[in-house]
Amino acid sequence: MMKNLAFLLCLLIGPSISRSQQDPCWQRFHNGTYVLDIVNDGESLWVSCANGIGKVDKSTGALLELYNPDQSDFPAYDQTRHIAAGPNGEIWASVYGIGVAVLSNGTWFLYDESNSPLTGNGVIGPQVLDIMVASDGKVYIGTSGNGLYIKDGPTWTNFTTANSPLPHDRISVIKEDQAGTIWIGTGQFYNDFGGLAKLTASSDWEVFTMANTDLPANGIGDIAIDNDQNIWIATKSGLTRFDGSTWTTWQEDEYVFSLDIDQDQNIYLGMSKSIKIFDGIDTWKDIPAPTVTTYNHQVARILADPDSSFWVVTYGGTGLFQYRDLAWKEITPLGSGLTSTPIYSITKSSDDHYWMGSSYWGLVEYDGASWTTHDQLYSPLPDWRILELEETNGQLLLGKQWGSHGMITRFDGQTETTLMEETGQFFDFEPCGDSLLVTIAKGILVYDSTTDSLVPFPFSAPSTHLTGLELHNDAIWVTSWDRGLHKLTNGQWQSWDTLNSSIPNNDTRMLQLDHFGNPWFISKDTASEFLLIKFDGNAFIDFTDTSLIQNISKINSFSVIDDHHIYIAHDKGISIKENGIWTWYKSDRMLTVFRDNNRILFGGSPGVFIYDPDCGNTSIVPERADQPVATLVPYPNPASVPQRVFVNSPGMPGEWFSLYSSAGHLVLQVTASSTGTTPLDCSSLLPGIYFIYLQDQTGIQAVGKLIIP
């Protein structure tokens, strides 16, 4: 037995619920340094990032215009990726998973699956990787898996490996030479599939791969074309030049991620943590390494400027930078204080600060007014994803992951101490008195704050593939990806799997308990599509509404209060169910949900969104954790005579009773009797499980469950 049994002293009462009918409010905090592409229209820079598309003054770095749905008619809130400037001043932008947007004469128009041949993969919409506007006005659109689209006025043409010589349907880069020939880079940069395709103005194709040329790699990262019409290619095996007949490669052991050529025909190479300039013959120049705050990751985009400077965008969300006169200038005009994304985990410390775990860039702290990033200056392994966070005894415990390797560390605000490191993933932390229960794939551990150590849980786990853990009253619930759902009470495990219950699949993940202590989790159906499942102690109920399925490609996290209040972060944004109604808020990939009383924090690739359903009601009563919701006892129960059901509420505050089905639908509502005993006529209801809520203007005061046989 472990020394500290504080987990037995966990709170027996869940949080209460307070809801209003006012319009919700959002706060959005975007990572303005998460720049994905830049284009020069001759006078200004156009920059795409998590906060939309901005027009930037090249000389001052000032933001001249910003386009996103909060501030313009930009068509979707999804993250914009690659952009291109047209000959008549129009700006084209890929809206990942949605389509292509064009800005013309101050107005945005969106081409998506509803009004164009652009299509997705059945799970997510069009995944556009590159856009190029040719000299003849045709727009070339490269996608992640559906080949090349060419828009010529109102006419669209789609080329794929099925109807053309394209070597692969993933189009990474598109460029045009002076003869009007289109050069198309295909494949995945790090892999060996793909190749270079050439499409002439007369619609003739030619394909170059490692199999028929001296091209050093099939995955093409970038393309640039010099004044002599040499084709320069960035690959994982160096820089290659194709002069029409001969292939020549330099830096054969180096990754070259991006390319550009200046007016003097110097070749700029974006490398891993460095930049090189090549005169195209035999002279190389290394750019002095800037400070760690400028860039320290792969150079994703490099853009030479006629004013003898160049611009750089790096992977990892470090911003936009200009190198001029032997000095670096950092430009991050689109941000809101948040500088690290994606956000994978969120918690709140005892001093009311929010702490967020990011990918690659350590911990982010938000005190309600300002942002602080605790990155590689404090962490020995800043590149790891922080998938789980929890405060215990004034310190943060971090669950970190990189590939199949996991680590648990403790962070005191200044230094990080490793507590455990091994192969396997850490899935869930759960506070329990002065201790913390830690679910890893192999089982359950307990963090004892008095000894600062991780010790084995005293009861052996029912699976070595655990995925989640939650506590309610004297029970511990766990999910697993191979053996279903499990509950520990009085030292004994009870399990539900496909052999002894109606659970749809033994693969259960992302465990959450609702206000009543019912476990919710994600499972799969026979077609491997996700299911949102609730277990009420008797039956496994599918809450995967049709309206929800249409909007979600993959659930990454969720939080649930009851059948009518569900909050989901997924690959196409955020879905919220309030009072039985689903609403979809479009965004790029959202990864985590954290509920802080009535405020719901969502974290993901664009940044952090805070949803407050009650912000429009200035008289709303704060959530009363010290006044738990009372229990209603309807009778008879089960309702042997449905037309004569009574519910007692003597001395309880409340104005009306609401009866909801297990699917979250309001089926009956009556005024609470002043005598404390209210009759309910349930004769029109179908057999099943129903939930009774005693409510007033401040929220739900009491709850109960009724069974109609």
Side-chain angles (χ1 to χ4, degrees):
M1 297 290 288
M2 65 182 182
K3 297 178 181 179
N4 190 341
L5 295 178
F7 71 96
L8 296 176
L9 304 177
C10 295
L11 295 177
L12 302 183
I13 300 173
S16 63
I17 304 169
S18 175
R19 284 289 178 268
S20 75
Q21 303 300 317
Q22 302 298 314
D23 291 334
C25 295
W26 286 94
Q27 286 180 280
R28 306 177 190 263
F29 300 98
H30 294 273
N31 179 1
T33 65
Y34 192 38
V35 177
L36 292 160
D37 200 11
I38 49 176
V39 67
N40 188 349
D41 69 0
E43 298 179 356
S44 306
L45 286 182
W46 290 85
V47 180
S48 72
C49 75
N51 197 18
I53 293 180
K55 184 178 181 181
V56 177
D57 187 303
K58 290 197 299 182
S59 61
T60 64
L63 180 64
L64 302 176
E65 297 176 48
L66 176 62
Y67 297 99
N68 63 27
D70 283 346
Q71 299 172 254
S72 72
D73 64 342
F74 192 78
Y77 208 85
D78 295 61
Q79 186 183 86
T80 58
R81 303 220 172 174
H82 298 284
I83 49 180
N88 298 316
E90 67 271 19
I91 299 297
W92 294 79
S94 71
V95 187
Y96 194 77
I98 299 296
V100 174
V102 58
L103 175 65
S104 179
N105 298 319
T107 301
W108 285 97
F109 181 80
L110 177 69
Y111 293 100
D112 58 17
E113 291 178 299
S114 69
N115 60 9
S116 78
L118 290 171
T119 186
N121 58 14
V123 177
I124 190 172
Q127 301 169 74
V128 177
L129 298 181
D130 198 23
I131 302 176
M132 192 273 294
V133 183
S135 56
D136 60 3
K138 294 179 182 177
V139 181
Y140 290 76
I141 301 168
T143 70
S144 178
N146 293 309
L148 175 71
Y149 290 86
I150 303 176
K151 183 181 184 301
D152 183 5
T155 303
W156 292 75
T157 306
N158 180 212
F159 292 107
T160 68
T161 53
N163 66 3
S164 76
L166 271 175
H168 200 272
D169 285 330
R170 187 183 195 278
I171 311 299
S172 55
V173 58
I174 310 166
K175 292 293 172 70
E176 180 187 23
D177 66 17
Q178 291 180 359
T181 298
I182 308 300
W183 295 85
I184 306 158
T186 74
Q188 180 73 42
F189 179 80
Y190 293 99
N191 294 323
D192 292 327
F193 53 75
L196 179 68
K198 173 184 175 183
L199 177 61
T200 68
S202 57
S203 300
D204 295 322
W205 288 89
E206 189 172 1
V207 172
F208 310 93
T209 68
M210 295 175 66
N212 63 2
T213 71
D214 290 328
L215 182 68
N218 284 331
I220 309 298
D222 202 357
I223 297 173
I225 304 172
D226 66 22
N227 288 343
D228 295 326
Q229 300 306 285
N230 294 311
I231 310 301
W232 296 83
I233 305 165
T235 77
K236 69 175 183 178
S237 301
L239 169 70
T240 295
R241 182 189 65 195
F242 178 52
D243 64 7
S245 59
T246 303
W247 301 80
T248 307
T249 299
W250 296 265
Q251 305 286 326
E252 295 181 7
D253 297 326
E254 298 286 341
Y255 282 10
V256 180
F257 296 99
S258 53
L259 286 176
D260 202 14
I261 301 175
D262 68 14
Q263 59 186 0
D264 297 322
Q265 302 303 285
N266 293 308
I267 317 299
Y268 291 74
L269 285 69
M271 316 285 281
S272 178
K273 301 184 181 181
S274 67
I275 292 173
K276 294 181 182 292
I277 301 177
F278 179 43
D279 69 355
I281 303 172
D282 55 13
T283 302
W284 293 85
K285 178 182 178 181
D286 288 317
I287 298 300
T291 65
V292 70
T293 58
T294 305
Y295 76 78
N296 64 353
H297 269 63
Q298 305 155 4
V299 179
R301 292 286 182 273
I302 190 165
L303 178 66
D305 207 322
D307 65 358
S308 300
S309 70
F310 63 87
W311 303 83
V312 165
V313 169
T314 67
Y315 288 114
T318 51
L320 171 67
F321 310 96
Q322 181 187 35
Y323 185 73
R324 185 177 185 181
D325 299 329
L326 303 180
W328 285 100
K329 179 181 181 180
E330 182 174 1
I331 298 175
T332 54
L334 309 182
S336 57
L338 173 65
T339 60
S340 297
T341 50
I343 298 297
Y344 276 86
S345 52
I346 303 174
T347 193
K348 190 176 184 181
S349 55
S350 55
D351 60 0
D352 290 333
H353 289 200
Y354 293 114
W355 290 83
M356 305 165 194
S358 71
S359 180
Y360 311 119
W361 296 100
L363 281 169
V364 181
E365 181 182 6
Y366 178 56
D367 64 6
S370 59
W371 298 83
T372 303
T373 299
H374 304 269
D375 55 14
Q376 59 267 33
L377 298 178
Y378 301 100
S379 170
L381 291 168
D383 287 349
W384 287 38
R385 291 181 173 92
I386 303 175
L387 299 181
E388 188 63 56
L389 279 175
E390 198 65 57
E391 186 190 43
T392 178
N393 258 20
Q395 300 186 71
L396 287 173
L397 254 65
L398 285 59
K400 304 171 70 172
Q401 193 73 26
W402 187 255
S404 62
H405 206 66
M407 174 185 291
I408 296 178
T409 66
R410 175 174 49 76
F411 182 68
D412 64 5
Q414 295 294 324
T415 59
E416 186 179 35
T417 303
T418 299
L419 301 177
M420 179 180 182
E421 182 176 356
E422 66 171 48
T423 301
Q425 191 166 6
F426 303 101
F427 285 95
D428 210 354
F429 290 174
E430 183 68 17
C432 194
D434 292 331
S435 299
L436 195 72
L437 295 186
V438 178
T439 306
I440 64 175
K442 297 179 180 179
I444 303 173
L445 303 173
V446 180
Y447 174 69
D448 186 344
S449 60
T450 62
T451 61
D452 193 27
S453 62
L454 286 161
V455 296
F457 190 65
F459 308 105
S460 59
S463 169
T464 56
H465 299 89
L466 300 181
T467 59
L469 181 148
E470 291 285 334
L471 296 96
H472 181 73
N473 292 351
D474 57 351
I476 295 176
W477 293 87
V478 296
T479 47
S480 63
W481 71 49
D482 64 340
R483 296 188 180 181
L485 177 69
H486 315 274
K487 178 182 181 182
L488 177 69
T489 52
N490 299 320
Q492 298 294 319
W493 287 103
Q494 183 179 5
S495 298
W496 293 265
D497 59 25
T498 53
L499 297 178
N500 65 10
S501 73
S502 61
I503 194 170
N505 196 302
N506 286 336
D507 187 346
T508 59
R509 310 193 184 200
M510 296 182 224
L511 178 64
Q512 290 280 309
L513 298 184
D514 64 18
H515 172 74
F516 310 105
N518 298 311
W520 295 63
F521 55 87
I522 303 300
S523 188
K524 297 179 180 179
D525 62 14
T526 54
S528 295
E529 297 292 337
F530 77 87
L531 299 173
L532 176 61
I533 301 295
K534 168 190 167 182
F535 180 52
D536 67 0
N538 297 303
F540 291 89
I541 305 166
D542 183 3
F543 273 77
T544 317
D545 298 29
T546 301
S547 58
L548 179 66
I549 293 176
Q550 292 173 348
N551 296 336
I552 294 181
S553 56
K554 178 185 176 185
I555 289 180
N556 296 312
S557 181
F558 74 95
S559 179
V560 58
I561 297 176
D562 54 28
D563 294 2
H564 345 291
H565 300 91
I566 304 172
Y567 311 91
I568 298 178
H570 53 81
D571 276 5
K572 297 178 73 174
I574 294 166
S575 289
I576 291 177
K577 188 177 187 181
E578 287 279 0
N579 301 313
I581 299 174
W582 283 104
T583 304
W584 172 32
Y585 297 91
K586 295 180 181 180
S587 172
D588 197 28
R589 185 178 55 150
M590 302 304 291
L591 297 164
T592 188
V593 183
F594 175 76
R595 188 163 68 91
D596 177 25
N597 293 327
N598 286 347
R599 305 178 83 202
I600 315 295
L601 281 72
F602 298 87
S605 294
V608 177
F609 297 172
I610 301 179
Y611 171 79
D612 186 349
D614 297 330
C615 70
N617 187 349
T618 58
S619 63
I620 194 70
V621 176
E623 195 162 4
R624 295 165 294 179
D626 59 336
Q627 299 180 33
V629 172
T631 300
L632 295 170
V633 182
Y635 65 92
N637 193 12
S640 55
V641 185
Q643 66 269 26
R644 296 293 293 171
V645 176
F646 297 87
V647 58
N648 280 339
S649 57
M652 295 183 186
E655 299 174 12
W656 67 86
F657 287 95
S658 299
L659 192 65
Y660 285 84
S661 70
S662 59
H665 301 299
L666 178 65
V667 296
L668 183 66
Q669 196 167 67
V670 297
T671 301
S673 172
S674 59
T675 66
T677 300
T678 304
L680 305 177
D681 185 356
C682 302
S683 57
S684 63
L685 302 182
L686 296 174
I689 297 174
Y690 294 82
F691 296 95
I692 302 174
Y693 295 77
L694 176 59
Q695 298 174 268
D696 61 17
Q697 295 294 335
T698 66
I700 297 172
Q701 307 301 329
V703 296
K705 183 164 65 175
L706 174 66
I707 299 174
I708 297 182

